[in-house]
Amino acid sequence: MPEDTDGPIHRWTPLDVRIEAVERFADCTEHVLTVGDLQWADVEKDYRLLAVNNSLRRQQESIRAAVLLSRHDLGHLAVAFVCAALEDVMYLGFFASLDLEESQELFVSMGNFDSLRALLAQRNYVGDKEMARLWYPKYFLE
C-alpha cells in the first residue's frame, strides 16, 4: 500500500500520520474556535448556550485525549468519545428544533429529574441515617 503522508487520509495511511493529522486538526480548531466564559445573564435567557458551550469544550478535550491515547497505543479507548460526540449532536439538534420556551422548560425538567435521580441514588447507597448526617431531613427526602 502507498504511504502518502501529504495527501488525504485513507485506511492504509500509517497510524502515526493519522494521529498527526488529528493533532493538526485539533490545533486548527483551537485557533478558529474560542470557547470562552459565558455570561450567566445570557444563559438564563437561553439554556442552550450552556449546552453548546459544554459540548464544544468536551469535543476539544476529547480530540486531545484521543490523540494522547493513540500516541500511547491506547487509541481503542478513545472510541468512548465518539458516543458522547454523537449524543451531543443529537440532543443539541433536538433542542435547536424547539422554540425557546419549550427548550427552557425541558432543560429545567431534565435538570430537576437528574438532581432527583442522583439524590435518590445517594440515599439508596448511604441510607437515611447518613443522609440526615449530611443535613438532608427525612421529610425532604420523602
Side-chain angles (χ1 to χ4, degrees), residues 1-64:
M1 293 288 152
E3 286 197 25
D4 182 7
T5 60
D6 295 324
I9 302 295
H10 301 284
R11 60 185 158 97
W12 58 80
T13 304
L15 182 60
D16 61 326
V17 175
R18 292 181 196 196
I19 294 169
E20 188 65 34
V22 173
E23 193 164 38
R24 284 195 312 266
F25 172 75
D27 290 341
C28 288
T29 64
E30 288 180 5
H31 291 290
V32 173
L33 179 66
T34 302
V35 183
D37 294 332
L38 288 172
Q39 299 299 316
W40 287 108
D42 294 335
V43 171
E44 287 179 9
K45 295 175 190 167
D46 190 349
Y47 296 135
R48 292 176 290 194
L49 295 173
L50 183 60
V52 169
N53 187 286
N54 179 64
S55 178
L56 291 173
R57 287 175 190 271
R58 180 166 56 176
Q59 298 311 315
Q60 286 181 324
E61 292 168 0
S62 293
I63 291 170
R64 290 289 181 194

Side-chain angles (χ1 to χ4, degrees), residues 47 50 95 102-120:
Y47 296 135
L50 183 60
F95 276 102
E102 290 174 323
S103 174
Q104 294 290 87
E105 187 177 322
L106 184 56
F107 267 108
V108 170
S109 295
M110 289 177 69
N112 289 338
F113 175 74
D114 282 347
S115 298
L116 178 61
R117 189 177 57 159
L119 183 64
L120 292 175

Side-chain angles (χ1 to χ4, degrees), residues 80-98:
F81 301 135
V82 174
C83 182
L86 294 175
E87 287 173 356
D88 282 354
V89 169
M90 288 186 300
Y91 88 79
L92 288 174
F94 176 72
F95 276 102
S97 74
L98 300 174

